[in-house]
Short mmCIF file of all heavy atoms in Angstrom, two decimals:
data_model
loop_
_atom_site.label_atom_id
_atom_site.label_comp_id
_atom_site.label_asym_id
_atom_site.label_seq_id
_atom_site.Cartn_x
_atom_site.Cartn_y
_atom_site.Cartn_z
N MET P 1367 124.63 153.73 102.51
CA MET P 1367 123.76 153.41 103.64
C MET P 1367 122.65 154.44 103.79
O MET P 1367 121.51 154.11 104.03
CB MET P 1367 124.60 153.33 104.91
CG MET P 1367 123.73 153.08 106.15
SD MET P 1367 124.66 153.22 107.68
CE MET P 1367 123.31 153.24 108.86
N ASP P 1368 123.01 155.69 103.67
CA ASP P 1368 122.02 156.74 103.86
C ASP P 1368 121.30 157.10 102.59
O ASP P 1368 121.00 158.25 102.31
CB ASP P 1368 122.68 158.00 104.43
CG ASP P 1368 123.07 157.79 105.88
OD1 ASP P 1368 122.29 157.18 106.60
OD2 ASP P 1368 124.15 158.25 106.26
N HIS P 1369 121.00 156.09 101.80
CA HIS P 1369 120.36 156.36 100.53
C HIS P 1369 118.89 155.94 100.56
O HIS P 1369 118.56 154.86 100.99
CB HIS P 1369 121.08 155.61 99.42
CG HIS P 1369 120.57 155.95 98.07
ND1 HIS P 1369 120.73 157.20 97.51
CD2 HIS P 1369 119.86 155.23 97.18
CE1 HIS P 1369 120.15 157.21 96.32
NE2 HIS P 1369 119.61 156.04 96.10
N PHE P 1370 118.03 156.83 100.11
CA PHE P 1370 116.61 156.51 100.02
C PHE P 1370 116.21 156.47 98.55
O PHE P 1370 116.60 157.32 97.77
CB PHE P 1370 115.77 157.55 100.76
CG PHE P 1370 116.00 157.52 102.24
CD1 PHE P 1370 116.79 158.48 102.84
CD2 PHE P 1370 115.44 156.52 103.02
CE1 PHE P 1370 117.02 158.45 104.21
CE2 PHE P 1370 115.66 156.48 104.39
CZ PHE P 1370 116.45 157.45 104.99
N HIS P 1371 115.43 155.47 98.22
CA HIS P 1371 115.04 155.29 96.84
C HIS P 1371 113.75 156.05 96.50
O HIS P 1371 112.80 156.01 97.26
CB HIS P 1371 114.81 153.80 96.54
CG HIS P 1371 116.03 152.97 96.81
ND1 HIS P 1371 117.12 152.97 95.96
CD2 HIS P 1371 116.33 152.14 97.82
CE1 HIS P 1371 118.04 152.16 96.47
NE2 HIS P 1371 117.59 151.64 97.59
N GLU P 1372 113.77 156.70 95.38
CA GLU P 1372 112.56 157.31 94.84
C GLU P 1372 111.83 158.20 95.84
O GLU P 1372 110.62 158.15 95.96
CB GLU P 1372 111.60 156.21 94.36
CG GLU P 1372 112.21 155.38 93.25
CD GLU P 1372 111.36 154.15 92.96
OE1 GLU P 1372 110.22 154.11 93.43
OE2 GLU P 1372 111.85 153.25 92.28
N ILE P 1373 112.58 158.97 96.58
CA ILE P 1373 111.97 159.91 97.51
C ILE P 1373 112.01 161.30 96.88
O ILE P 1373 113.08 161.83 96.59
CB ILE P 1373 112.70 159.94 98.87
CG1 ILE P 1373 112.73 158.55 99.49
CG2 ILE P 1373 112.04 160.95 99.79
CD1 ILE P 1373 111.41 158.02 99.93
N ASP P 1374 110.83 161.85 96.69
CA ASP P 1374 110.72 163.18 96.09
C ASP P 1374 110.22 164.15 97.15
O ASP P 1374 109.12 163.99 97.65
CB ASP P 1374 109.71 163.12 94.93
CG ASP P 1374 110.33 163.67 93.66
OD1 ASP P 1374 111.42 164.27 93.74
OD2 ASP P 1374 109.70 163.50 92.61
N LEU P 1375 111.01 165.11 97.50
CA LEU P 1375 110.59 166.06 98.53
C LEU P 1375 110.25 167.41 97.91
O LEU P 1375 111.04 167.96 97.15
CB LEU P 1375 111.71 166.26 99.56
CG LEU P 1375 111.99 165.07 100.49
CD1 LEU P 1375 113.19 165.39 101.37
CD2 LEU P 1375 110.77 164.75 101.32
N ALA P 1376 109.05 167.90 98.26
CA ALA P 1376 108.65 169.21 97.79
C ALA P 1376 109.37 170.29 98.61
O ALA P 1376 110.04 169.99 99.59
CB ALA P 1376 107.14 169.37 97.94
N ASP P 1377 109.21 171.53 98.20
CA ASP P 1377 109.76 172.63 98.99
C ASP P 1377 109.02 172.73 100.32
O ASP P 1377 107.88 172.28 100.43
CB ASP P 1377 109.61 173.95 98.23
CG ASP P 1377 110.47 173.99 96.97
OD1 ASP P 1377 111.46 173.24 96.91
OD2 ASP P 1377 110.14 174.77 96.07
N CYS P 1378 109.65 173.34 101.29
CA CYS P 1378 109.04 173.51 102.60
C CYS P 1378 107.72 174.26 102.48
O CYS P 1378 107.66 175.32 101.86
CB CYS P 1378 109.99 174.28 103.52
SG CYS P 1378 109.25 174.71 105.11
N PRO P 1379 106.63 173.71 103.07
CA PRO P 1379 105.32 174.38 103.00
C PRO P 1379 105.29 175.68 103.81
O PRO P 1379 104.40 176.50 103.61
CB PRO P 1379 104.35 173.35 103.59
CG PRO P 1379 105.20 172.43 104.40
CD PRO P 1379 106.55 172.41 103.75
N CYS P 1380 106.23 175.85 104.71
CA CYS P 1380 106.24 177.06 105.54
C CYS P 1380 107.04 178.18 104.90
O CYS P 1380 106.61 179.32 104.88
CB CYS P 1380 106.82 176.75 106.92
SG CYS P 1380 105.88 175.52 107.84
N CYS P 1381 108.22 177.86 104.37
CA CYS P 1381 109.10 178.93 103.91
C CYS P 1381 109.65 178.70 102.49
O CYS P 1381 110.36 179.55 101.97
CB CYS P 1381 110.26 179.10 104.89
SG CYS P 1381 111.50 177.78 104.78
N GLY P 1382 109.33 177.54 101.89
CA GLY P 1382 109.85 177.28 100.56
C GLY P 1382 111.29 176.80 100.55
O GLY P 1382 111.91 176.70 99.49
N GLY P 1383 111.80 176.49 101.73
CA GLY P 1383 113.18 176.01 101.85
C GLY P 1383 113.32 174.56 101.43
O GLY P 1383 112.37 173.93 100.97
N VAL P 1384 114.50 174.02 101.66
CA VAL P 1384 114.82 172.66 101.25
C VAL P 1384 114.55 171.68 102.38
O VAL P 1384 115.05 171.85 103.49
CB VAL P 1384 116.30 172.57 100.82
CG1 VAL P 1384 116.66 171.14 100.43
CG2 VAL P 1384 116.56 173.51 99.67
N GLY P 1385 113.76 170.66 102.09
CA GLY P 1385 113.49 169.62 103.07
C GLY P 1385 114.53 168.52 102.99
O GLY P 1385 115.07 168.25 101.92
N SER P 1386 114.81 167.90 104.12
CA SER P 1386 115.82 166.85 104.16
C SER P 1386 115.38 165.75 105.13
O SER P 1386 114.81 166.04 106.18
CB SER P 1386 117.15 167.46 104.62
OG SER P 1386 118.08 166.44 104.91
N ILE P 1387 115.63 164.50 104.75
CA ILE P 1387 115.28 163.39 105.63
C ILE P 1387 116.31 163.28 106.74
O ILE P 1387 117.51 163.19 106.47
CB ILE P 1387 115.19 162.08 104.83
CG1 ILE P 1387 114.00 162.15 103.87
CG2 ILE P 1387 115.05 160.89 105.79
CD1 ILE P 1387 113.91 160.95 102.92
N GLN P 1388 115.84 163.33 107.97
CA GLN P 1388 116.72 163.24 109.13
C GLN P 1388 116.47 161.91 109.84
O GLN P 1388 115.33 161.51 110.03
CB GLN P 1388 116.40 164.38 110.11
CG GLN P 1388 116.48 165.76 109.49
CD GLN P 1388 117.89 166.15 109.17
OE1 GLN P 1388 118.79 165.98 109.96
NE2 GLN P 1388 118.10 166.67 107.96
N GLU P 1389 117.54 161.26 110.25
CA GLU P 1389 117.39 160.02 111.00
C GLU P 1389 117.89 160.23 112.41
O GLU P 1389 118.87 160.92 112.64
CB GLU P 1389 118.19 158.91 110.33
CG GLU P 1389 117.54 158.46 109.05
CD GLU P 1389 118.19 157.17 108.54
OE1 GLU P 1389 117.81 156.09 108.99
OE2 GLU P 1389 119.08 157.30 107.69
N GLU P 1390 117.17 159.60 113.34
CA GLU P 1390 117.53 159.78 114.74
C GLU P 1390 117.82 158.43 115.39
O GLU P 1390 116.95 157.58 115.48
CB GLU P 1390 116.37 160.47 115.46
CG GLU P 1390 116.81 161.16 116.72
CD GLU P 1390 115.84 162.25 117.11
OE1 GLU P 1390 115.56 163.11 116.25
OE2 GLU P 1390 115.35 162.24 118.22
N GLY P 1391 119.04 158.26 115.80
CA GLY P 1391 119.41 157.07 116.56
C GLY P 1391 119.22 155.75 115.82
O GLY P 1391 119.23 154.69 116.43
N GLY P 1392 119.03 155.81 114.51
CA GLY P 1392 118.89 154.58 113.75
C GLY P 1392 117.58 153.86 113.96
O GLY P 1392 117.44 152.69 113.63
N TRP P 1393 116.56 154.54 114.52
CA TRP P 1393 115.29 153.86 114.74
C TRP P 1393 114.09 154.66 114.26
O TRP P 1393 112.99 154.15 114.14
CB TRP P 1393 115.11 153.50 116.20
CG TRP P 1393 114.99 154.70 117.10
CD1 TRP P 1393 116.02 155.39 117.67
CD2 TRP P 1393 113.79 155.36 117.50
NE1 TRP P 1393 115.52 156.45 118.39
CE2 TRP P 1393 114.17 156.45 118.32
CE3 TRP P 1393 112.42 155.14 117.26
CZ2 TRP P 1393 113.23 157.31 118.88
CZ3 TRP P 1393 111.49 156.01 117.82
CH2 TRP P 1393 111.90 157.08 118.63
N CYS P 1394 114.28 155.93 113.95
CA CYS P 1394 113.16 156.69 113.42
C CYS P 1394 113.69 157.78 112.50
O CYS P 1394 114.88 158.12 112.51
CB CYS P 1394 112.30 157.30 114.53
SG CYS P 1394 113.01 158.77 115.28
N LEU P 1395 112.79 158.30 111.68
CA LEU P 1395 113.19 159.36 110.78
C LEU P 1395 112.04 160.33 110.57
O LEU P 1395 110.89 160.04 110.92
CB LEU P 1395 113.67 158.79 109.45
CG LEU P 1395 112.77 157.85 108.65
CD1 LEU P 1395 111.61 158.58 107.98
CD2 LEU P 1395 113.58 157.12 107.59
N TYR P 1396 112.34 161.47 110.02
CA TYR P 1396 111.35 162.50 109.73
C TYR P 1396 111.96 163.43 108.70
O TYR P 1396 113.15 163.35 108.40
CB TYR P 1396 110.97 163.27 111.00
CG TYR P 1396 112.15 163.85 111.75
CD1 TYR P 1396 112.54 165.17 111.55
CD2 TYR P 1396 112.89 163.07 112.64
CE1 TYR P 1396 113.62 165.70 112.22
CE2 TYR P 1396 113.99 163.59 113.31
CZ TYR P 1396 114.34 164.91 113.11
OH TYR P 1396 115.43 165.43 113.76
N VAL P 1397 111.12 164.31 108.16
CA VAL P 1397 111.63 165.29 107.20
C VAL P 1397 111.66 166.64 107.89
O VAL P 1397 110.71 167.02 108.57
CB VAL P 1397 110.72 165.37 105.95
CG1 VAL P 1397 111.26 166.43 104.98
CG2 VAL P 1397 110.67 164.01 105.26
N GLN P 1398 112.76 167.34 107.74
CA GLN P 1398 112.87 168.66 108.35
C GLN P 1398 113.37 169.68 107.36
O GLN P 1398 114.21 169.39 106.50
CB GLN P 1398 113.83 168.59 109.55
CG GLN P 1398 113.91 169.92 110.29
CD GLN P 1398 114.62 169.79 111.63
OE1 GLN P 1398 115.59 169.06 111.74
NE2 GLN P 1398 114.14 170.50 112.63
N CYS P 1399 112.86 170.90 107.51
CA CYS P 1399 113.31 172.00 106.67
C CYS P 1399 114.66 172.50 107.16
O CYS P 1399 114.86 172.72 108.35
CB CYS P 1399 112.29 173.14 106.72
SG CYS P 1399 112.85 174.62 105.86
N MET P 1400 115.59 172.66 106.23
CA MET P 1400 116.93 173.12 106.60
C MET P 1400 116.94 174.61 106.91
O MET P 1400 117.89 175.12 107.49
CB MET P 1400 117.90 172.83 105.45
CG MET P 1400 118.11 171.36 105.16
SD MET P 1400 119.05 170.49 106.44
CE MET P 1400 117.73 169.86 107.48
N ASP P 1401 115.88 175.32 106.53
CA ASP P 1401 115.86 176.76 106.75
C ASP P 1401 115.10 177.17 108.01
O ASP P 1401 115.63 177.81 108.89
CB ASP P 1401 115.26 177.47 105.53
CG ASP P 1401 116.21 177.42 104.34
OD1 ASP P 1401 117.42 177.26 104.55
OD2 ASP P 1401 115.73 177.53 103.21
N CYS P 1402 113.81 176.76 108.09
CA CYS P 1402 112.99 177.23 109.22
C CYS P 1402 112.82 176.19 110.30
O CYS P 1402 112.32 176.50 111.37
CB CYS P 1402 111.64 177.72 108.73
SG CYS P 1402 110.51 176.40 108.24
N GLY P 1403 113.19 174.94 110.03
CA GLY P 1403 113.11 173.92 111.07
C GLY P 1403 111.78 173.22 111.19
O GLY P 1403 111.58 172.41 112.09
N ALA P 1404 110.81 173.51 110.31
CA ALA P 1404 109.54 172.79 110.32
C ALA P 1404 109.81 171.31 110.07
O ALA P 1404 110.76 170.95 109.36
CB ALA P 1404 108.62 173.34 109.24
N TYR P 1405 109.01 170.44 110.68
CA TYR P 1405 109.30 169.01 110.56
C TYR P 1405 108.03 168.18 110.58
O TYR P 1405 106.99 168.63 111.05
CB TYR P 1405 110.22 168.56 111.70
CG TYR P 1405 109.66 168.83 113.07
CD1 TYR P 1405 108.99 167.84 113.77
CD2 TYR P 1405 109.80 170.09 113.66
CE1 TYR P 1405 108.46 168.10 115.04
CE2 TYR P 1405 109.28 170.35 114.91
CZ TYR P 1405 108.61 169.36 115.60
OH TYR P 1405 108.08 169.61 116.84
N THR P 1406 108.12 166.96 110.08
CA THR P 1406 107.00 166.03 110.10
C THR P 1406 107.09 165.19 111.37
O THR P 1406 108.10 165.20 112.07
CB THR P 1406 107.03 165.08 108.89
OG1 THR P 1406 108.18 164.23 108.99
CG2 THR P 1406 107.10 165.85 107.58
N ALA P 1407 106.03 164.43 111.64
CA ALA P 1407 106.06 163.51 112.77
C ALA P 1407 107.14 162.46 112.55
O ALA P 1407 107.45 162.10 111.41
CB ALA P 1407 104.71 162.84 112.93
N GLU P 1408 107.69 161.95 113.64
CA GLU P 1408 108.71 160.91 113.54
C GLU P 1408 108.06 159.58 113.20
O GLU P 1408 106.98 159.26 113.69
CB GLU P 1408 109.44 160.76 114.87
CG GLU P 1408 110.24 161.97 115.24
CD GLU P 1408 110.78 161.86 116.67
OE1 GLU P 1408 110.33 160.97 117.40
OE2 GLU P 1408 111.63 162.68 117.02
N LEU P 1409 108.73 158.81 112.36
CA LEU P 1409 108.24 157.48 112.01
C LEU P 1409 109.30 156.45 112.40
O LEU P 1409 110.44 156.52 111.94
CB LEU P 1409 107.96 157.41 110.51
CG LEU P 1409 106.78 158.25 110.03
CD1 LEU P 1409 106.77 158.34 108.52
CD2 LEU P 1409 105.47 157.65 110.52
N ALA P 1410 108.90 155.51 113.24
CA ALA P 1410 109.85 154.50 113.70
C ALA P 1410 109.97 153.37 112.68
O ALA P 1410 109.05 153.11 111.92
CB ALA P 1410 109.40 153.94 115.05
N TYR P 1411 111.13 152.73 112.67
CA TYR P 1411 111.32 151.57 111.80
C TYR P 1411 112.23 150.57 112.50
O TYR P 1411 112.96 150.92 113.43
CB TYR P 1411 111.92 151.98 110.45
CG TYR P 1411 113.22 152.72 110.56
CD1 TYR P 1411 114.43 152.04 110.66
CD2 TYR P 1411 113.25 154.11 110.54
CE1 TYR P 1411 115.63 152.71 110.75
CE2 TYR P 1411 114.45 154.80 110.64
CZ TYR P 1411 115.63 154.10 110.74
OH TYR P 1411 116.82 154.77 110.83
N GLN P 1412 112.16 149.31 112.05
CA GLN P 1412 112.95 148.26 112.72
C GLN P 1412 113.88 147.54 111.76
O GLN P 1412 114.75 146.78 112.19
CB GLN P 1412 112.01 147.24 113.36
CG GLN P 1412 111.22 147.84 114.51
CD GLN P 1412 110.40 146.81 115.25
OE1 GLN P 1412 110.01 145.80 114.68
NE2 GLN P 1412 110.13 147.08 116.52
N ASN P 1413 113.70 147.74 110.47
CA ASN P 1413 114.60 147.09 109.52
C ASN P 1413 114.68 147.94 108.26
O ASN P 1413 114.00 148.97 108.16
CB ASN P 1413 114.13 145.66 109.20
CG ASN P 1413 112.69 145.65 108.74
OD1 ASN P 1413 112.29 146.43 107.87
ND2 ASN P 1413 111.88 144.77 109.31
N GLU P 1414 115.47 147.51 107.30
CA GLU P 1414 115.70 148.33 106.11
C GLU P 1414 114.43 148.55 105.30
O GLU P 1414 114.18 149.64 104.80
CB GLU P 1414 116.78 147.67 105.24
CG GLU P 1414 117.13 148.45 103.98
CD GLU P 1414 117.67 149.85 104.28
OE1 GLU P 1414 118.17 150.10 105.40
OE2 GLU P 1414 117.61 150.70 103.37
N ALA P 1415 113.59 147.52 105.20
CA ALA P 1415 112.35 147.66 104.43
C ALA P 1415 111.44 148.69 105.09
O ALA P 1415 110.86 149.55 104.43
CB ALA P 1415 111.63 146.32 104.32
N GLU P 1416 111.33 148.61 106.42
CA GLU P 1416 110.50 149.58 107.13
C GLU P 1416 111.10 150.97 107.05
O GLU P 1416 110.39 151.97 107.05
CB GLU P 1416 110.35 149.16 108.60
CG GLU P 1416 109.44 147.96 108.78
CD GLU P 1416 109.20 147.62 110.24
OE1 GLU P 1416 109.61 148.41 111.12
OE2 GLU P 1416 108.60 146.57 110.49
N ARG P 1417 112.43 151.03 107.00
CA ARG P 1417 113.12 152.32 106.91
C ARG P 1417 112.75 153.01 105.60
O ARG P 1417 112.43 154.20 105.58
CB ARG P 1417 114.63 152.08 107.00
CG ARG P 1417 115.48 153.32 106.88
CD ARG P 1417 116.92 152.98 107.20
NE ARG P 1417 117.81 154.08 106.89
CZ ARG P 1417 118.51 154.16 105.74
NH1 ARG P 1417 118.42 153.22 104.83
NH2 ARG P 1417 119.27 155.19 105.51
N GLN P 1418 112.78 152.26 104.50
CA GLN P 1418 112.42 152.84 103.21
C GLN P 1418 110.95 153.25 103.21
O GLN P 1418 110.58 154.30 102.67
CB GLN P 1418 112.67 151.82 102.09
CG GLN P 1418 114.15 151.46 101.92
CD GLN P 1418 114.99 152.60 101.37
OE1 GLN P 1418 114.48 153.51 100.73
NE2 GLN P 1418 116.29 152.57 101.63
N ASP P 1419 110.11 152.42 103.84
CA ASP P 1419 108.69 152.72 103.91
C ASP P 1419 108.44 153.98 104.74
O ASP P 1419 107.64 154.84 104.38
CB ASP P 1419 107.96 151.52 104.53
CG ASP P 1419 106.48 151.57 104.26
OD1 ASP P 1419 106.09 151.85 103.10
OD2 ASP P 1419 105.69 151.35 105.19
N ALA P 1420 109.15 154.08 105.87
CA ALA P 1420 109.01 155.25 106.74
C ALA P 1420 109.44 156.51 106.00
O ALA P 1420 108.82 157.56 106.12
CB ALA P 1420 109.84 155.06 108.01
N ALA P 1421 110.51 156.40 105.22
CA ALA P 1421 110.99 157.56 104.46
C ALA P 1421 109.95 158.01 103.44
O ALA P 1421 109.70 159.20 103.26
CB ALA P 1421 112.30 157.21 103.76
N ARG P 1422 109.30 157.03 102.80
CA ARG P 1422 108.25 157.37 101.84
C ARG P 1422 107.08 158.05 102.53
O ARG P 1422 106.53 159.04 102.04
CB ARG P 1422 107.77 156.11 101.11
CG ARG P 1422 108.55 155.80 99.84
CD ARG P 1422 107.83 154.78 98.99
NE ARG P 1422 107.69 153.51 99.67
CZ ARG P 1422 108.62 152.56 99.69
NH1 ARG P 1422 109.76 152.75 99.06
NH2 ARG P 1422 108.44 151.43 100.33
N LYS P 1423 106.69 157.51 103.69
CA LYS P 1423 105.55 158.09 104.41
C LYS P 1423 105.88 159.49 104.93
O LYS P 1423 105.04 160.38 104.91
CB LYS P 1423 105.15 157.18 105.57
CG LYS P 1423 104.42 155.95 105.11
CD LYS P 1423 104.05 155.07 106.31
CE LYS P 1423 103.36 153.80 105.84
NZ LYS P 1423 103.32 152.79 106.93
N ALA P 1424 107.09 159.67 105.42
CA ALA P 1424 107.49 160.98 105.92
C ALA P 1424 107.49 161.99 104.77
O ALA P 1424 107.03 163.12 104.91
CB ALA P 1424 108.88 160.90 106.56
N ALA P 1425 107.98 161.55 103.61
CA ALA P 1425 108.01 162.43 102.44
C ALA P 1425 106.59 162.77 102.00
O ALA P 1425 106.30 163.90 101.62
CB ALA P 1425 108.77 161.75 101.30
N LEU P 1426 105.69 161.78 102.09
CA LEU P 1426 104.30 162.02 101.70
C LEU P 1426 103.67 163.06 102.63
O LEU P 1426 103.00 163.99 102.19
CB LEU P 1426 103.51 160.71 101.76
CG LEU P 1426 102.09 160.76 101.21
CD1 LEU P 1426 102.10 161.09 99.72
CD2 LEU P 1426 101.38 159.43 101.43
N SER P 1427 103.89 162.92 103.94
CA SER P 1427 103.37 163.90 104.90
C SER P 1427 103.91 165.28 104.57
O SER P 1427 103.17 166.27 104.57
CB SER P 1427 103.78 163.52 106.33
OG SER P 1427 103.18 162.32 106.72
N TRP P 1428 105.19 165.32 104.30
CA TRP P 1428 105.84 166.60 103.98
C TRP P 1428 105.21 167.22 102.73
O TRP P 1428 104.87 168.39 102.71
CB TRP P 1428 107.33 166.34 103.74
CG TRP P 1428 108.12 167.53 103.30
CD1 TRP P 1428 108.45 167.85 102.01
CD2 TRP P 1428 108.68 168.55 104.13
NE1 TRP P 1428 109.20 169.00 102.01
CE2 TRP P 1428 109.34 169.45 103.29
CE3 TRP P 1428 108.67 168.78 105.51
CZ2 TRP P 1428 110.01 170.58 103.78
CZ3 TRP P 1428 109.34 169.90 106.00
CH2 TRP P 1428 109.99 170.78 105.13
N ASN P 1429 105.04 166.39 101.71
CA ASN P 1429 104.51 166.90 100.45
C ASN P 1429 103.04 167.29 100.57
O ASN P 1429 102.54 168.09 99.79
CB ASN P 1429 104.69 165.85 99.35
CG ASN P 1429 106.16 165.65 99.01
OD1 ASN P 1429 107.00 166.46 99.40
ND2 ASN P 1429 106.47 164.59 98.30
N LEU P 1430 102.34 166.73 101.58
CA LEU P 1430 100.94 167.11 101.84
C LEU P 1430 100.88 168.26 102.84
O LEU P 1430 99.82 168.60 103.35
CB LEU P 1430 100.16 165.91 102.37
CG LEU P 1430 99.89 164.81 101.35
CD1 LEU P 1430 99.23 163.62 102.01
CD2 LEU P 1430 99.02 165.32 100.21
N ARG P 1431 102.01 168.82 103.15
CA ARG P 1431 102.14 169.97 104.05
C ARG P 1431 101.73 169.65 105.48
O ARG P 1431 101.35 170.55 106.24
CB ARG P 1431 101.30 171.14 103.52
CG ARG P 1431 101.59 171.43 102.06
CD ARG P 1431 100.58 172.39 101.47
NE ARG P 1431 100.79 173.76 101.92
CZ ARG P 1431 101.55 174.64 101.29
NH1 ARG P 1431 102.17 174.30 100.19
NH2 ARG P 1431 101.68 175.85 101.76
N LYS P 1432 101.84 168.39 105.86
CA LYS P 1432 101.55 168.02 107.25
C LYS P 1432 102.81 168.17 108.08
O LYS P 1432 103.50 167.20 108.39
CB LYS P 1432 101.07 166.57 107.32
CG LYS P 1432 99.69 166.37 106.73
CD LYS P 1432 99.27 164.93 106.93
CE LYS P 1432 97.98 164.63 106.19
NZ LYS P 1432 97.71 163.19 106.19
N VAL P 1433 103.13 169.40 108.40
CA VAL P 1433 104.35 169.65 109.15
C VAL P 1433 104.05 170.37 110.46
O VAL P 1433 103.01 171.00 110.61
CB VAL P 1433 105.36 170.49 108.33
CG1 VAL P 1433 105.72 169.78 107.04
CG2 VAL P 1433 104.80 171.88 108.06
N ILE P 1434 104.97 170.22 111.38
CA ILE P 1434 104.87 170.89 112.66
C ILE P 1434 105.81 172.08 112.61
O ILE P 1434 106.99 171.94 112.26
CB ILE P 1434 105.28 169.93 113.80
CG1 ILE P 1434 104.34 168.73 113.82
CG2 ILE P 1434 105.27 170.67 115.14
CD1 ILE P 1434 104.95 167.50 114.46
N ARG P 1435 105.26 173.24 112.92
CA ARG P 1435 106.08 174.43 112.85
C ARG P 1435 106.70 174.73 114.21
O ARG P 1435 105.98 174.84 115.20
CB ARG P 1435 105.21 175.62 112.45
CG ARG P 1435 105.67 176.29 111.17
CD ARG P 1435 104.85 177.51 110.96
NE ARG P 1435 103.74 177.23 110.04
CZ ARG P 1435 103.30 178.11 109.16
NH1 ARG P 1435 103.82 179.30 109.11
NH2 ARG P 1435 102.31 177.80 108.37
N PRO P 1436 108.00 174.81 114.26
CA PRO P 1436 108.63 175.13 115.55
C PRO P 1436 108.31 176.56 115.92
O PRO P 1436 108.19 177.42 115.05
CB PRO P 1436 110.11 174.94 115.28
CG PRO P 1436 110.26 175.20 113.82
CD PRO P 1436 108.97 174.75 113.18
N GLY P 1437 108.13 176.79 117.19
CA GLY P 1437 107.85 178.16 117.59
C GLY P 1437 107.93 178.29 119.09
O GLY P 1437 107.95 177.29 119.80
N PRO P 1438 107.95 179.51 119.56
CA PRO P 1438 108.02 179.72 121.02
C PRO P 1438 106.80 179.13 121.69
O PRO P 1438 105.68 179.25 121.20
CB PRO P 1438 108.07 181.25 121.15
CG PRO P 1438 107.67 181.79 119.83
CD PRO P 1438 107.94 180.73 118.80
N GLY P 1439 107.00 178.48 122.81
CA GLY P 1439 105.89 177.93 123.57
C GLY P 1439 105.49 176.54 123.12
O GLY P 1439 104.54 175.98 123.66
N GLU P 1440 106.16 175.95 122.15
CA GLU P 1440 105.78 174.62 121.71
C GLU P 1440 106.77 173.57 122.18
O GLU P 1440 107.93 173.83 122.25
CB GLU P 1440 105.71 174.58 120.19
CG GLU P 1440 104.33 174.95 119.70
CD GLU P 1440 104.22 174.75 118.18
OE1 GLU P 1440 104.62 173.69 117.68
OE2 GLU P 1440 103.75 175.67 117.51
ZN1 ZN F 1548 110.93 175.99 106.00
#
C-alpha cells in the first residue's frame, strides 16, 4: 500500500540527509528530511492515481530544492 513507483529522491538540500515521503491522514503527502526536518509543501490527493502524481510532484520539488526549513519563529 505504501509503495510509490519510480520515485527518486535526492539528498536533503539543507543537510544532505535522507528524504522520505510522508503521508498525512491519507489525503496529502510531502517529502521530509529525516535528519533536519526540512520539508516540501503538502500536496493533497483524492485517489490512488492522484496519490502517485502527488508523490512525483513532491519528489520533484524536493529534488529542485524547494523545501521549507523548520526554524524558530516559523
Ligand atoms: Zn536535512
Side-chain angles (χ1 to χ4, degrees):
M1367 176 188 168
D1368 288 320
H1369 186 68
F1370 293 103
H1371 301 286
E1372 299 170 13
I1373 302 292
D1374 234 349
L1375 290 176
D1377 293 338
C1378 173
C1380 299
C1381 74
V1384 178
S1386 169
I1387 292 174
Q1388 304 290 315
E1389 288 191 83
E1390 202 157 307
W1393 65 273
C1394 78
L1395 55 73
Y1396 54 96
V1397 178
Q1398 184 168 38
C1399 174
M1400 295 290 93
D1401 289 337
C1402 74
Y1405 57 96
T1406 67
E1408 295 172 347
L1409 291 168
Y1411 57 85
Q1412 294 186 333
N1413 54 48
E1414 181 61 22
E1416 287 185 8
R1417 178 171 170 263
Q1418 295 291 337
D1419 197 46
R1422 270 195 297 275
K1423 285 180 183 165
L1426 188 63
S1427 294
W1428 176 263
N1429 292 346
L1430 289 175
R1431 309 168 74 90
K1432 290 184 188 170
V1433 301
I1434 299 156
R1435 239 186 263 215
E1440 271 187 48

